[in-house]
Amino acid sequence: MGENFNMSASVRVTLAKYGNVKHTAKAAILPQTASVAHILKIAKNKLKINAKRVFDESGVEMRDSYKSLEQDALLLITCGEDVMSAESRRQMTAKEEAKNFGSKSLLTSANGSRVAVWLQSSPGLVSELDCTHLFTIDSQGDSAREYAAGLPVQTGWTVCHVPATIDSIVPSMEETRDMIHGLEKLLRVLSEKQKLVLLHGSDPSNQLPTAIFCLLLLTLIHPDSSSENLDCLHAAGMDVSAVHGWLEAPSNAEWMQRILTSTDVAVGLALDADMSVSGSCSIRVLCQESFVETEAVQQLNRCAELPGVRVAVGMPDLHPGKGYPIGSAIGSEGFIYPYLIGGDIGCGMSLVATKINREKLTNKKLERWVTKLRGLDHGIDDSRHWLSSNLEWPTGTTVSTVEEEPFGDCNVSLREFDSSLGTVGSGNHFAELQEIEEIVEPVLCESVGLTKEQLYLLVHTGSRGLGAAVLDTHTRIFGDSGLAEHTPQAEAYMKMHDGACAWAKRNRALIASRFLKALRPGAIESSPDCVLDVWHNNVTRKRFDSMGTDLWLHRKGAAPADASLIVIPGSRGSRSYLVQPCGDIEKAGFSLAHGAGRKWHRGKAQQLCKARYGDASTLLKTSLGSLVICDNKDLLYEEAPEAYKEIESIIQDLVQFKLIRVVAVLKPLITYKQSD
């Protein structure tokens, strides 16, 4: 007997074979973009419900076909300079064409909205319909832009160009990146329920790039209808035989599948800077180009609901954490929330200038260094000297000593973590030897002594297990609740917090010293020259002038915008950016992105990358030619570049919000991850 699948907070299922008995089951997380067929597939595979019909929360049955012009999002795909003949245009005015639109369209369901996908249009129809975005696809961008410029479009449209270039061989990494970025950008606009029009370039002699792009797009929107999607391309006048011929090559089919699994359309939003919420708190998400998961925004909303929270800011690298988001800055009045910072208290970045000359660098030398660096991750026999010695990190800034008393008072044994001091650890932590690829602000670089002639070391790690032990002492008693300021409990936590931050800073300094000594064991060098060191997991007191008050500013994966310079790294195998904060940093919660931010959770990254690469050793060399040291195969998969968002989008968002000025671009040479 058939069953009904109801999309609501809980899934209400009517089982005919059990009469009128109602059963309730947990709902599966539905993709932002899903056809009815896709929803039914999820119901069957994840909920074990053999449903035949889907209803929305109001009880209206969802269908994949509508006969209406009132769509939440509109997608038109055209082929050639003008797919309509001159005779057709003479016989049909733009308004008449618009009226007939509903009867010609293939429609599907996306993010709970109706999305019309139509494959033929004339410039008249484009101007008649209420659209906001104009996309062009072309292997030669100039012709596509000229075509777009010739359309009678309304002022204020957002014009985007996707430089799709595909020929008989598998596309390059750059072409693949362009394709994924174009798909994500277009689908992000769809997820906002904005109307848009997609036009391909005016080069009818080479339709293959457009056809492949459109097939990918339709497959992502309508995943269970591959033959229908090809029929749509054919109806648009595209040469489907060329697509079939291209896909006959196994490498091309494999590439296309890789694109489909790499394009993160399952859960995503593009958000502007301000969203008001109830009460006295406001949320800002500094994201336009980057992809932010719905779950991460929901977690940010949850932060805004905590007692005393006045400001909640999501960075471009915002992504879901364990209950609360990573890539956020939360300002609260009267309360400290240890759970908002998490267990890796004091995690941050150190940029160290080495005395290694770039000109003498060779591939053989890099390979020798890889051998020398193996086994770097080991603890220290006696931490007392290192934790209590005088240390300037960065140069000119004295680091507090780490005392046992604040920890012992809360039953945390500081000595227990001696074996972790001087170690990078797992997760996304690393020590990376880099070169400056481009100097954007030469005067500023010269003022801080940065040159292309020497190499640099970037260290990213934190307080290891010590911070987790501090958080555990809090959660055992208070859970994720906050601590009222000025209470004995809040003061005890802050003493351990400050000690863990100092421990983390000294940890980075020790790692840098070990790393450079391993490269040049015979060299007589002074202490490493630390250019900058910042925490991006901590809580600090900060004045918010716009509110006329001081707040407790909690940063979780958010770099301090009140520092003079910070480094924002990408994934391993991508570039890092040295930037100078600027603009209205208070509106950004005095914070910036701390990195690229995860796109896939670790389980998904393992699954997809194992299937894609097979042998993990293929990940020991990146697309930029840099080398990776990591003996943990699972970590290699989890930390693959594809598991992260594109760092260029993160930087672009911060530039668009006028929060940073790019100073220099750094390129990786050797990335050290956890070693067995």
Side-chain angles (χ1 to χ4, degrees), residues 215-233:
L215 182 58
L216 285 165
L217 181 66
L218 291 175
T219 304
L220 287 164
I221 293 175
H222 210 252
D224 298 318
S225 304
S226 56
S227 59
E228 292 178 23
N229 294 338
L230 279 169
D231 290 343
C232 290
L233 296 180

Side-chain angles (χ1 to χ4, degrees), residues 103-119:
S103 62
K104 295 181 178 180
S105 54
L106 161 74
L107 297 121
T108 186
S109 171
N111 192 24
S113 66
R114 292 178 296 171
V115 178
V117 181
W118 195 41
L119 293 140

